[in-house]
Each structure stands twice: as C-alpha cells, then as structure tokens.
Amino acid sequence: MFTNAFWGMLNDALSKKTPALCAFLILLALSACSDGYVQFPTSPEGQRALGDDVEVIVLSAENIGDFTSPSRQHQATLLPGGRNWTYAVGAGDILSVIVFDHPELTLPAGPQRSAAESGFQVAGDGTITYPYIGAVRATGRSVGQIRSDISQRLANFIPNPQVEVRIAAYNSQAIVVSGEVATPNRQPLTSVGTSLIEAINAGGGFTEFADPRSVTVQRGGRIYHVDVQGFLEGGMTQNNPVLRTGDVVNVPRRRAEEAYLLGEVARPDVMDLSREPITLTQALTRRGGLQTPRANARGVLVFRAHGNDMTRVFQLDTSSPSGLLLGTRFVLEPGDVVYVLRSALQRWNDTIVRLLPTVQAARSVEDFVN
C-alpha cells in the first residue's frame, strides 16, 4: 500500500516529465510489490546475521530430544479418598427401625405412608427417640452401630431382640458438582459411596468445553486438583476418589492452548493443543501438508518464545522422509508459530508475476515522457 504522498510525488514527476525521478519511484513500487511473504534465512551464513535475540536451531536426530517436551503427563491427585466408604448417620436422616416379632415397636409404613414418613428422624442433637429405651445417639454412627446399641438396650425389656436399622431418607450429607457439566447440582450421599466420576456423570457428564485434566475438589478449606482424564485413560484409580460430605467438585472450562500454522501450508489454521499433544508432522498433515510446489520443504520453521526476550526458531528439513519422521518427535507447545517458507523459485515466479503489470506501466511512462 502506498501513501497519498507517494502518488503525489509520482504525479508531480510525471507532470514535470522528470524521467529519473519517475524511474526511482516506480522501482520503489516494484520492490514493495515483491515483498508479500516472510523472508527468513535458511543458510548458516544468513542466520548468523540475525540479532542476538534470535536463536536458530536446525533440528536433527541428535538434538531433537533436547528441545521437544514430552507430552503432558497425568498427575496423581493428593486428595485423600480411599475406596472404602461407610455412611455415618447425621442430623436430618430418617431411620427405619424394625424389631422382628414385635410389630408394636415398628411404625407401619402402609400404602399412604412411605418408609421415610414412618421412620425416626435424627434430631438436631443427633439422637432418635425409641420406645422403651429413649434417646439413642445416631449422629456419627453407622447403621450397624445404631442397631447394636438398640439391640443391647432392648434386651433389658425383650428377650433376644432381632433388630434391623435402615436409612429411609438420606438428608444429612451431600456434595456439590459445578462448572462444565451438563447439569450442575447438589447430590445426596448414600450408604453406597459416590466416586468422583460417578458424581460427574450424575451431573450430566462433561460438556464439550470441560477440561477433565484440571478438575478440582474443595475439601476442608483446601483445593485439590484431580486429573480425571488420568483415571479414564491412564487407569490411575487414585484419581477417582470416593467423595465425602461437603466436597465441592468444580469442572473448569478448558483454556485455549493453540499453535498457529502459517505460510505455504495447504490450509493455514489454528491448532487446538488442549485436547491432545500434537507433533509438528501431525499438525502439517492435518492441514493438508505443504503446499507444493510453492513450499520450501527445507524451510519448515517453528517460532517459540524462550524466556522474556529470546525467540527460538527451529528449522526442520522435510524434503526427505527422515525429516517427516523427525517431525513426529517434535511436540508443539501452546503459542508456537509454524511457518513454512516459500521456495526460492516460487518467490522469483511470484515476483515476476507481480512485477509484470508495473513494468508495463513503467514502459508506458517512459513512452509518455519520450
């Protein structure tokens, strides 16, 4: 693009019929027209002329291991949570107590009353009141402990009582599932333990924007990170802990982790690296490969920030099959810019094509001046 000042100078030169100035301005236009692509030296001599803030590294089988990071490994969570689970009764739970052969001690459910409606609700002080024996501590106990307590105390009134205690309604313990799940909700805990993946599934499962590798569980004022994908794909059972009452599960939104493919690629595009590790060869292949014959197979570059001020430029020669194989070992990182240079022959051809109209215009000017 040229400024109005440039065109003004050219018009002025034409009006004054000054061939030298006309030629200079037109040559200036020619040089600008030919600069429609990124130029980067591929020779060692040219690369040495780059500034100190640019480090060029030619990838080879010997050094590629030093510059490619291994794919992100799954991490074991520090969240305590064994597989054993015993439900501890709490205030608000409703207990159903049955004493066999003694129907007078059992509140009938009947067709109009559910077991929850006919049971004993644990009071705020943590007890239930049962005939003959009075208050029975329930909070913090398992149903087995409550059954044993009632049996022992009823034995003072009934010979060999056969007691059964069940939880008719679970009201005291719950967890919360929030974030990128289909239906965030509050889920009561029951006598059957709830694992993390079960809780997420009960919330409708992950949304398409969820990041399963960065799930958090807040417990006791501390936030634990849980790589759920490590359980799903890596079999890390510790990353599917049994949840406890009060746990708050949060599934975060997946953060953008992108690399960019530019230059002589069949389909320049953005690559999403957040779902899986992608190698350089994979990225090029998924975007249709190099744009032949325009691309310079020796000039596949990866620009990567290094520290605060440095830029590393990795150069890969893909003109041979070994180069493409080498690219399968180079894992892209978020922020990488992959640029495929244009071949020297194509640059020349493009330059000629772009210059022809301008050369013809120059001849017209010369004819006009003469």
Side-chain angles (χ1 to χ4, degrees), residues 85-90 93-98 120 122 128 136-151 163-170 173 190-192:
W85 167 254
T86 301
Y87 185 88
V89 175
D93 287 340
I94 297 177
L95 303 182
S96 174
V97 181
I98 299 173
F120 298 88
V122 179
I128 62 172
V136 178
R137 184 169 67 85
T139 295
R141 285 179 159 183
S142 66
V143 291
Q145 292 172 316
I146 298 172
R147 178 175 58 245
S148 177
D149 187 6
I150 293 176
S151 296
V163 179
E164 176 63 25
V165 177
R166 299 172 183 170
I167 300 176
Y170 296 91
Q173 301 186 36
T190 68
S191 56
V192 179

Side-chain angles (χ1 to χ4, degrees), residues 198-223:
E198 288 172 335
I200 292 172
N201 288 339
F206 293 119
T207 68
E208 62 176 317
F209 305 108
D211 184 359
R213 304 192 67 160
S214 303
V215 175
T216 62
V217 177
Q218 186 175 160
R219 176 182 296 174
R222 182 177 175 183
I223 295 178

Side-chain angles (χ1 to χ4, degrees), residues 3 12 38 49 95 103 180 205 234 257 272 288 299 304 309 351 353 358 367:
T3 63
D12 185 59
V38 170
L95 303 182
E180 290 297 331
E257 294 181 349
D272 183 3
R304 177 176 296 173
D309 303 321
T351 301
V353 170
T358 314
D367 293 342

